[in-house]
């Protein structure tokens, strides 16, 4: 069943059903769930249906002994759902984002119930113990931990008393992650330019927004310095090589979206001319073709639905940092809109391979996260 229409039109579920629960799953019965009233509500349903769905599950898990052979919910009791740890984290971020941007959502009671199940001191203490255990210094680095910091930022920026309480609950793991990142950055000799989880440009962008948002000036300065060291001299990014067959992030566009965060407007506009000279000045959208997914049930091939969504927000971010009269803004916006239309239309509950994560990307895009007003 397709959940979303093309473009901005909103189609309500006639009777949304959750994915089938496995035995032992902690997913709640959605039979009394109200009909969603907005696109964001529809995104929330996909997260609600997976944040406590334990199986199927893909664990990136270093085992030191047979004692480490345990179920996902025993290993990481806050973030065991949505197929993998990072998707669970940004699924929780999505739900928190809905509370911040749409506090009157019809999903609000269920969202609070689900978050309360996850965000307990006991769960976060277990998450911290797992994170700090031997052999896990690179766990979910940089993608998953960047999303965790984004989750903390969402809680930080809320005036809601319950969200403020949860923000303090999440602080111990936050502090450990920040310490690990600050230890890792000086040792990182080169950027990671992949179009998947290990990419540093995307993670640095989320981390930098977090650092600025919570007032961690030391981390922000270290991220800015490393970003400029890695990318200030970059030129002629090979955009025509993108996307690779399993990308969900654009190496070129995410780098530019990161650099607009660390440069003054005039400096960024000049840097972008050298870095992406392919951006036209005629306002067209045919200079960047959206990714094509031929099998949305394939967990790797469906990544390209994500690349369309993440490209759309990167293009919007790049355009937002240029002078309003810059001739490239129209083409950036046109390409962003084309990618947005295709990306949103692909967000569906039809295949768990995409439904467990694409709604987070769609929410990041549609709520304009990462772009200053």
């Amino acid at each position: 069943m397709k959940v979303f229409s093309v473009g901005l039109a909103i189609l309500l579920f006639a009777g949304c059903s959750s994915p089938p629960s496995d035995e032992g799953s902690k997913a709640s019965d959605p039979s009394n769930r109200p009909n969603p009233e907005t696109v964001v509500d529809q995104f929330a349903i996909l997260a609600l249906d997976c944040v406590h769905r334990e199986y199927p599950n893909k664990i990136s898990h270093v085992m030191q002994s047979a004692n480490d052979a345990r179920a996902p919910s025993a290993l990481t009791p806050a973030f065991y759902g949505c197929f993998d740890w990072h998707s669970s984290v940004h699924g929780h971020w999505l739900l928190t984002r809905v509370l911040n941007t749409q506090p009157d959502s019809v999903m609000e009671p269920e969202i609070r119930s689900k978050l309360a199940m996850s965000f307990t001191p006991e769960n976060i203490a277990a998450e911290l113990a797992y994170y700090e255990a031997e052999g896990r210094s690179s766990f979910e680095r940089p993608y998953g931990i960047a999303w965790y910091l984004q989750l903390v930022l969402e809680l930080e920026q809320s005036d809601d008393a319950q969200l403020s309480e949860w923000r303090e609950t999440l602080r111990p793991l936050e502090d450990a992650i920040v310490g690990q990142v600050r230890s890792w950055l000086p040792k990182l000799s080169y950027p990671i330019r992949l179009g998947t989880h290990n990419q540093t440009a995307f993670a640095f962008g989320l981390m930098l927004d977090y650092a600025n948002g919570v007032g961690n000036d030391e981390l922000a300065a270290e991220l800015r310095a490393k970003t400029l060291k890695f990318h200030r001299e970059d030129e002629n990014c090979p955009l025509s090589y993108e996307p690779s067959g399993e990308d969900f992030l654009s190496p070129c566009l995410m780098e530019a979206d990161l650099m607009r965060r660390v440069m003054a407007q005039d400096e960024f506009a000049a840097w972008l001319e050298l870095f992406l000279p392919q951006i036209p000045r005629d306002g067209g959208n045919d200079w960047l073709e959206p990714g094509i997914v031929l099998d949305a049930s394939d967990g790797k091939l469906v990544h390209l639905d994500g690349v369309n969504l993440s490209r759309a927000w990167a293009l919007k971010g790049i355009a937002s940092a240029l002078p309003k009269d810059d001739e490239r803004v129209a083409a950036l916006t046109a390409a962003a809109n084309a990618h947005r239309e295709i990306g949103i239309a692909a967000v569906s509950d039809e295949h768990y391979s995409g439904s467990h994560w694409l709604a987070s990307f769609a929410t990041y895009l549609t709520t304009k996260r990462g772009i200053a007003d």
Side-chain angles (χ1 to χ4, degrees):
M1 177 179 69
K2 283 289 183 181
V3 174
F4 302 108
S5 66
V6 174
L8 300 178
I10 299 172
L11 295 183
L12 303 185
F13 288 134
C16 175
S17 60
S18 65
S21 297
D22 296 287
E23 184 177 356
S25 171
K26 299 183 181 180
S28 62
D29 181 0
S31 59
N32 295 321
R33 179 179 290 153
N35 282 333
E37 295 179 348
T38 69
V39 164
V40 174
D41 287 336
Q42 295 174 353
F43 297 152
I45 284 177
L46 295 182
L48 288 167
D49 286 341
C50 81
V51 289
H52 297 133
R53 177 176 174 176
E54 187 163 10
Y55 298 106
N57 202 299
K58 180 182 179 182
I59 297 179
S60 177
H61 177 48
V62 174
M63 299 173 62
Q64 300 295 341
S65 72
N67 292 331
D68 285 334
R70 292 184 288 160
S73 59
L75 295 169
T76 57
F79 305 115
Y80 61 84
C82 296
F83 190 69
D84 47 37
W85 193 88
H86 51 260
S87 297
S88 179
V89 169
H90 61 63
H92 285 80
W93 167 84
L94 184 165
L95 298 177
T96 308
R97 182 69 174 162
V98 173
L99 294 183
N100 273 347
T101 60
Q102 194 172 299
D104 58 348
S105 168
V106 296
M107 300 300 148
E108 183 261 352
E110 188 176 356
I111 288 174
R112 288 185 184 274
S113 176
K114 291 278 189 160
L115 293 179
M117 289 173 61
S118 298
F119 296 163
T120 69
E122 296 77 14
N123 284 349
I124 299 305
E127 293 277 349
L128 177 62
Y130 181 88
Y131 183 75
E132 292 185 326
E134 180 183 358
R136 299 195 183 120
S137 61
S138 63
F139 174 72
E140 289 287 348
R141 189 184 72 197
Y143 182 80
I145 59 175
W147 272 113
Y148 186 86
L149 296 180
Q150 193 70 197
L151 168 60
V152 169
L153 176 62
E154 206 64 54
L155 296 169
E156 171 84 16
Q157 293 179 332
S158 174
D159 295 327
D160 183 284
Q162 188 174 38
L163 271 64
S164 297
E165 180 181 347
W166 288 334
R167 189 263 179 274
E168 293 307 314
T169 300
L170 268 61
R171 191 181 292 275
L173 181 55
E174 169 199 2
D175 289 343
I177 286 172
V178 169
Q180 192 274 346
V181 170
R182 295 190 67 191
S183 175
W184 170 61
L185 285 174
K187 304 171 188 176
L188 186 64
S189 299
Y190 309 102
I192 302 170
R193 301 181 187 270
L194 300 177
T196 51
H197 305 85
N198 287 344
Q199 186 191 115
T200 47
F202 170 75
F204 281 12
L206 292 192
M207 291 176 181
L208 189 57
D209 289 348
Y210 155 82
N212 288 329
V214 303
N216 189 330
D217 296 336
E218 294 83 3
L219 177 60
E222 291 162 4
L223 286 164
R224 282 194 296 270
K226 185 64 75 170
T227 294
L228 291 170
K229 179 180 179 181
F230 280 166
H231 301 304
R232 187 193 290 274
E233 304 304 321
D234 285 353
E235 297 181 0
N236 294 311
C237 196
L239 193 59
S240 63
Y241 288 4
E242 298 184 18
S244 293
E246 297 180 355
D247 280 358
F248 59 88
L249 300 168
S250 162
C252 291
L253 297 179
M254 282 299 165
E255 179 178 332
D257 195 40
L258 171 63
M259 290 296 280
R260 56 102 175 166
R261 290 170 160 92
V262 300
M263 286 180 159
Q265 185 178 76
D266 290 348
E267 183 184 16
F268 174 68
W271 176 89
L272 187 66
E273 179 67 32
L274 296 175
F275 181 67
L276 286 175
Q278 307 95 323
I279 302 173
R281 287 169 164 77
D282 62 3
N285 68 5
D286 57 353
W287 59 280
L288 187 65
E289 293 294 326
I292 299 171
V293 175
L294 298 180
D295 182 1
S297 69
D298 187 299
K300 294 292 188 179
L301 298 180
V302 78
H303 277 182
L304 291 164
D305 283 332
V307 87
N308 292 329
L309 294 165
S310 64
R311 273 182 171 183
W313 84 57
L315 290 160
K316 287 282 191 181
I318 295 164
S320 74
L322 295 173
K324 293 186 183 300
D325 61 353
D326 191 297
E327 294 179 341
R328 294 167 291 183
V329 169
L332 288 164
T333 302
N337 291 339
H339 281 75
R340 174 191 171 111
E341 182 174 322
I342 292 174
I344 295 296
V347 181
S348 165
D349 69 350
E350 185 175 4
H351 301 294
Y352 197 56
S353 54
S355 69
H356 77 271
W357 66 281
L358 284 172
S360 296
F361 274 44
T363 300
Y364 192 96
L365 169 63
T366 58
T367 64
K368 300 181 180 179
R369 194 52 166 154
I371 299 177
D373 293 332

PDB file of all heavy atoms in Angstrom, residues 263-272 321-323 328:
ATOM      1  N   MET A 263      31.232  28.760   6.242  1.00  0.00           N
ATOM      2  CA  MET A 263      31.754  29.871   5.446  1.00  0.00           C
ATOM      3  C   MET A 263      30.769  31.033   5.434  1.00  0.00           C
ATOM      4  O   MET A 263      29.547  30.835   5.485  1.00  0.00           O
ATOM      5  CB  MET A 263      32.008  29.429   4.000  1.00  0.00           C
ATOM      6  CG  MET A 263      33.212  28.544   3.799  1.00  0.00           C
ATOM      7  SD  MET A 263      33.414  28.099   2.037  1.00  0.00           S
ATOM      8  CE  MET A 263      35.155  27.655   2.033  1.00  0.00           C
ATOM      9  N   ALA A 264      31.319  32.227   5.345  1.00  0.00           N
ATOM     10  CA  ALA A 264      30.490  33.406   5.112  1.00  0.00           C
ATOM     11  C   ALA A 264      29.873  33.314   3.723  1.00  0.00           C
ATOM     12  O   ALA A 264      30.366  32.600   2.844  1.00  0.00           O
ATOM     13  CB  ALA A 264      31.324  34.665   5.243  1.00  0.00           C
ATOM     14  N   GLN A 265      28.790  34.061   3.509  1.00  0.00           N
ATOM     15  CA  GLN A 265      28.022  33.924   2.276  1.00  0.00           C
ATOM     16  C   GLN A 265      28.875  34.161   1.030  1.00  0.00           C
ATOM     17  O   GLN A 265      28.854  33.341   0.092  1.00  0.00           O
ATOM     18  CB  GLN A 265      26.845  34.896   2.292  1.00  0.00           C
ATOM     19  CG  GLN A 265      25.905  34.736   1.097  1.00  0.00           C
ATOM     20  CD  GLN A 265      24.722  35.675   1.175  1.00  0.00           C
ATOM     21  OE1 GLN A 265      24.854  36.870   0.910  1.00  0.00           O
ATOM     22  NE2 GLN A 265      23.557  35.140   1.535  1.00  0.00           N
ATOM     23  N   ASP A 266      29.598  35.235   0.971  1.00  0.00           N
ATOM     24  CA  ASP A 266      30.400  35.537  -0.219  1.00  0.00           C
ATOM     25  C   ASP A 266      31.485  34.486  -0.445  1.00  0.00           C
ATOM     26  O   ASP A 266      31.746  34.081  -1.588  1.00  0.00           O
ATOM     27  CB  ASP A 266      31.028  36.924  -0.095  1.00  0.00           C
ATOM     28  CG  ASP A 266      30.009  38.046  -0.200  1.00  0.00           C
ATOM     29  OD1 ASP A 266      28.858  37.758  -0.599  1.00  0.00           O
ATOM     30  OD2 ASP A 266      30.359  39.193   0.129  1.00  0.00           O
ATOM     31  N   GLU A 267      32.106  34.046   0.639  1.00  0.00           N
ATOM     32  CA  GLU A 267      33.150  33.033   0.541  1.00  0.00           C
ATOM     33  C   GLU A 267      32.565  31.718   0.033  1.00  0.00           C
ATOM     34  O   GLU A 267      33.153  31.051  -0.831  1.00  0.00           O
ATOM     35  CB  GLU A 267      33.810  32.831   1.900  1.00  0.00           C
ATOM     36  CG  GLU A 267      34.964  31.844   1.891  1.00  0.00           C
ATOM     37  CD  GLU A 267      35.536  31.600   3.271  1.00  0.00           C
ATOM     38  OE1 GLU A 267      34.872  31.953   4.265  1.00  0.00           O
ATOM     39  OE2 GLU A 267      36.638  31.033   3.348  1.00  0.00           O
ATOM     40  N   PHE A 268      31.401  31.347   0.555  1.00  0.00           N
ATOM     41  CA  PHE A 268      30.767  30.102   0.119  1.00  0.00           C
ATOM     42  C   PHE A 268      30.350  30.184  -1.345  1.00  0.00           C
ATOM     43  O   PHE A 268      30.548  29.230  -2.108  1.00  0.00           O
ATOM     44  CB  PHE A 268      29.545  29.799   0.987  1.00  0.00           C
ATOM     45  CG  PHE A 268      28.767  28.605   0.512  1.00  0.00           C
ATOM     46  CD1 PHE A 268      29.304  27.327   0.596  1.00  0.00           C
ATOM     47  CD2 PHE A 268      27.506  28.754  -0.046  1.00  0.00           C
ATOM     48  CE1 PHE A 268      28.593  26.227   0.146  1.00  0.00           C
ATOM     49  CE2 PHE A 268      26.784  27.661  -0.499  1.00  0.00           C
ATOM     50  CZ  PHE A 268      27.338  26.385  -0.410  1.00  0.00           C
ATOM     51  N   ALA A 269      29.802  31.317  -1.769  1.00  0.00           N
ATOM     52  CA  ALA A 269      29.378  31.462  -3.163  1.00  0.00           C
ATOM     53  C   ALA A 269      30.560  31.278  -4.111  1.00  0.00           C
ATOM     54  O   ALA A 269      30.433  30.632  -5.163  1.00  0.00           O
ATOM     55  CB  ALA A 269      28.727  32.827  -3.370  1.00  0.00           C
ATOM     56  N   ALA A 270      31.718  31.837  -3.751  1.00  0.00           N
ATOM     57  CA  ALA A 270      32.910  31.687  -4.589  1.00  0.00           C
ATOM     58  C   ALA A 270      33.436  30.261  -4.560  1.00  0.00           C
ATOM     59  O   ALA A 270      33.838  29.706  -5.596  1.00  0.00           O
ATOM     60  CB  ALA A 270      33.986  32.668  -4.118  1.00  0.00           C
ATOM     61  N   TRP A 271      33.436  29.650  -3.370  1.00  0.00           N
ATOM     62  CA  TRP A 271      33.894  28.260  -3.253  1.00  0.00           C
ATOM     63  C   TRP A 271      33.012  27.340  -4.079  1.00  0.00           C
ATOM     64  O   TRP A 271      33.504  26.432  -4.770  1.00  0.00           O
ATOM     65  CB  TRP A 271      33.883  27.850  -1.782  1.00  0.00           C
ATOM     66  CG  TRP A 271      34.232  26.416  -1.542  1.00  0.00           C
ATOM     67  CD1 TRP A 271      35.480  25.892  -1.351  1.00  0.00           C
ATOM     68  CD2 TRP A 271      33.328  25.298  -1.475  1.00  0.00           C
ATOM     69  NE1 TRP A 271      35.404  24.529  -1.167  1.00  0.00           N
ATOM     70  CE2 TRP A 271      34.093  24.133  -1.239  1.00  0.00           C
ATOM     71  CE3 TRP A 271      31.938  25.177  -1.582  1.00  0.00           C
ATOM     72  CZ2 TRP A 271      33.522  22.873  -1.116  1.00  0.00           C
ATOM     73  CZ3 TRP A 271      31.360  23.914  -1.465  1.00  0.00           C
ATOM     74  CH2 TRP A 271      32.148  22.771  -1.234  1.00  0.00           C
ATOM     75  N   LEU A 272      31.704  27.544  -4.031  1.00  0.00           N
ATOM     76  CA  LEU A 272      30.765  26.685  -4.753  1.00  0.00           C
ATOM     77  C   LEU A 272      30.991  26.764  -6.264  1.00  0.00           C
ATOM     78  O   LEU A 272      30.825  25.759  -6.971  1.00  0.00           O
ATOM     79  CB  LEU A 272      29.333  27.085  -4.405  1.00  0.00           C
ATOM     80  CG  LEU A 272      28.224  26.176  -4.940  1.00  0.00           C
ATOM     81  CD1 LEU A 272      28.290  24.794  -4.301  1.00  0.00           C
ATOM     82  CD2 LEU A 272      26.850  26.808  -4.687  1.00  0.00           C
ATOM     83  N   ALA A 321      21.996  29.410   1.373  1.00  0.00           N
ATOM     84  CA  ALA A 321      23.220  30.078   1.809  1.00  0.00           C
ATOM     85  C   ALA A 321      23.766  31.055   0.781  1.00  0.00           C
ATOM     86  O   ALA A 321      24.736  31.768   1.058  1.00  0.00           O
ATOM     87  CB  ALA A 321      24.285  29.034   2.141  1.00  0.00           C
ATOM     88  N   LEU A 322      23.178  31.085  -0.405  1.00  0.00           N
ATOM     89  CA  LEU A 322      23.639  31.983  -1.464  1.00  0.00           C
ATOM     90  C   LEU A 322      22.880  33.305  -1.413  1.00  0.00           C
ATOM     91  O   LEU A 322      21.767  33.377  -0.887  1.00  0.00           O
ATOM     92  CB  LEU A 322      23.434  31.326  -2.827  1.00  0.00           C
ATOM     93  CG  LEU A 322      24.260  30.070  -3.117  1.00  0.00           C
ATOM     94  CD1 LEU A 322      23.813  29.437  -4.433  1.00  0.00           C
ATOM     95  CD2 LEU A 322      25.752  30.396  -3.161  1.00  0.00           C
ATOM     96  N   PRO A 323      23.460  34.361  -1.972  1.00  0.00           N
ATOM     97  CA  PRO A 323      22.700  35.615  -2.089  1.00  0.00           C
ATOM     98  C   PRO A 323      21.415  35.379  -2.876  1.00  0.00           C
ATOM     99  O   PRO A 323      21.375  34.547  -3.791  1.00  0.00           O
ATOM    100  CB  PRO A 323      23.660  36.528  -2.852  1.00  0.00           C
ATOM    101  CG  PRO A 323      25.026  35.966  -2.598  1.00  0.00           C
ATOM    102  CD  PRO A 323      24.846  34.486  -2.488  1.00  0.00           C
ATOM    103  N   ARG A 328      22.301  30.929  -9.606  1.00  0.00           N
ATOM    104  CA  ARG A 328      22.233  29.472  -9.429  1.00  0.00           C
ATOM    105  C   ARG A 328      21.071  29.036  -8.541  1.00  0.00           C
ATOM    106  O   ARG A 328      20.712  27.851  -8.526  1.00  0.00           O
ATOM    107  CB  ARG A 328      23.554  28.961  -8.838  1.00  0.00           C
ATOM    108  CG  ARG A 328      24.738  29.119  -9.772  1.00  0.00           C
ATOM    109  CD  ARG A 328      26.056  28.898  -9.055  1.00  0.00           C
ATOM    110  NE  ARG A 328      26.348  29.982  -8.103  1.00  0.00           N
ATOM    111  CZ  ARG A 328      27.462  30.072  -7.376  1.00  0.00           C
ATOM    112  NH1 ARG A 328      28.389  29.131  -7.494  1.00  0.00           N
ATOM    113  NH2 ARG A 328      27.650  31.084  -6.551  1.00  0.00           N
TER     114      ARG A 328
END
